Amino acid sequence: MNNLQKNRFIDQVFKILGILFTMLGIFILGVLIYNILKVGVTRINWDFLTSLPSRRPEKAGIYTAIIGTLDLMLLTIIFAIPIGVGAGIYLEEYAKKSKFSSLLEINISNLAGVPSIIYGLLGLGIFVRFFGFGGSILSGSLTLSLLILPIIIVATREAIKAVPHSLKEASYGLGASKWQTIKNVVLPSSFGGILTGIILSLSRAIGETAPLIVVGAMAYVPFVPHSVFDTFSVLPMQIFSWTTRPQQGFAIAASAAIIILLIITFVMNGIAVYFRNKWQKKLK
C-alpha cells in the first residue's frame, strides 16, 4: 500500500468513526429527551404554567421561574450585547497591535473557558456586596453578562476577520471614513457570525445555575418580581430544587420544567436564526 492509498484509507476510517460518534451522540440525546418527554409532558398544562411554587408537588407551578428567566435574559441582552460587540469592534478595527493588546486578547480568550462558578463569586463580591444590589435580578443579569461577554467579543472579532479585505479597500477607495466602512460594510457582512456568537452565549446563559446560586437566586419565590431589585428565581434553579426533593411528584414537575426550558431556548434560537437569515438575504 503506497502513501496515497494509505492516506485515503485513513480518511475513510476517520469519516466512518466521525459518523458513528455523531450518531451515538444523537442517539443518547434522543433517549434523554424521550425519557423527559415521557415523564414530564403529562404534567404540562395551563395551571402548571400560571401557578406559583408550592410545597405540594401537585400544585407546584413555574410562573415565577418563567418570568424571572425572561426578565434575566432581557437584562442580560441589554447589558452584554452592546458592550461585547463594541469591544470586539474596537479590538479588531481600532486597537493598535502591541504587547498590551496581545495580552488582552489572550486573557479574553481564556476568560471564555473560565468555570461559571468563578463569575458567580465575582458577581457576589462586586454587584451583591460592593454595589449593594443584593440577590436581585440586576445582580444576576450583570453576573451573566460578565459570563457571556468573552464569548461575544471573540465571536465578533472572528466574524469581522472573515470579512474580505477587498471590501474594506473598495469602501476606502470611494472616500468612506473608517466608521462609515465599519457601519456600512464590515458589520453587515459579519452580522451572521456575530449573531451566531450571541445565540451560543445566550444559550449558555439561560441554562446556568451555579453563578445564580452564588449571587442569591431563590429556589422558592412565591411572588412575581416587579422591579430589577426584587429577588427572583429562574427555571434552572427551580429544576435543581425539585430534583433534590424525595417526592416523585417533584421529579415529574422537574421534567415538565425542563421541557419548557428547552422550548424557550429553541424559540430564542429560532428567532435569532430567522433574523440572521433574513439579514443575509438582504445582502445578496
Side-chain angles (χ1 to χ4, degrees), residues 35-262:
N35 288 331
I36 291 172
L37 290 174
K38 183 176 67 173
V39 174
V41 73
T42 56
R43 184 69 173 81
I44 298 176
N45 52 43
W46 186 248
D47 289 336
F48 180 71
L49 297 176
T50 58
S51 296
L52 298 176
S54 173
R55 301 186 187 281
R56 301 174 63 180
E58 64 275 7
K59 292 185 177 181
I62 58 172
Y63 183 63
T64 56
I66 290 178
I67 298 300
T69 298
L70 295 178
D71 289 344
L72 195 71
M73 286 297 103
L74 179 60
L75 282 177
T76 301
I77 289 170
I78 292 173
F79 292 136
I81 292 179
I83 297 174
V85 174
I89 293 172
Y90 172 78
L91 291 173
E92 192 60 35
E93 295 292 336
Y94 288 99
K96 296 180 180 179
K97 301 301 179 182
S98 63
K99 291 183 178 180
F100 176 75
S101 62
S102 299
L103 180 64
L104 188 62
E105 293 172 8
I106 293 173
N107 286 330
I108 291 174
S109 299
N110 290 336
L111 284 173
V114 171
S116 59
I117 189 68
I118 304 300
Y119 289 99
L121 295 172
L122 182 63
L124 175 65
I126 296 178
F127 305 124
V128 177
R129 295 179 177 173
F130 183 78
F131 287 107
F133 295 150
S136 63
I137 296 176
L138 184 59
S139 296
S141 61
L142 289 171
T143 301
L144 290 184
S145 298
L146 291 178
L147 174 67
I148 67 176
L149 265 178
I151 304 174
I152 297 177
I153 293 172
V154 171
T156 300
R157 295 194 63 198
E158 293 301 323
I160 292 175
K161 285 180 181 178
V163 177
H165 194 65
S166 58
L167 293 179
K168 299 179 185 179
E169 292 179 344
S171 178
Y172 292 138
L174 293 174
S177 64
K178 190 173 187 66
W179 170 241
Q180 288 175 328
T181 300
I182 293 173
K183 182 179 70 172
N184 298 321
V185 177
V186 175
L187 287 182
S189 300
S190 60
F191 181 77
I194 294 173
L195 191 54
T196 300
I198 292 173
I199 293 170
L200 293 174
S201 63
L202 292 177
S203 297
R204 179 185 179 185
I206 198 173
E208 286 292 345
T209 305
L212 298 180
I213 293 175
V214 175
V215 299
M218 307 294 289
Y220 180 80
V221 179
F223 59 87
V224 177
H226 296 289
S227 75
V228 296
F229 297 103
D230 288 342
T231 57
F232 69 102
S233 182
V234 290
L235 279 172
M237 189 71 193
Q238 189 69 74
I239 293 167
F240 172 77
S241 174
W242 282 342
T243 54
T244 60
R245 304 286 185 88
Q247 296 95 326
Q248 180 62 24
F250 282 120
I252 297 174
S255 297
I258 291 172
I259 296 172
I260 300 300
L261 181 60
L262 288 174

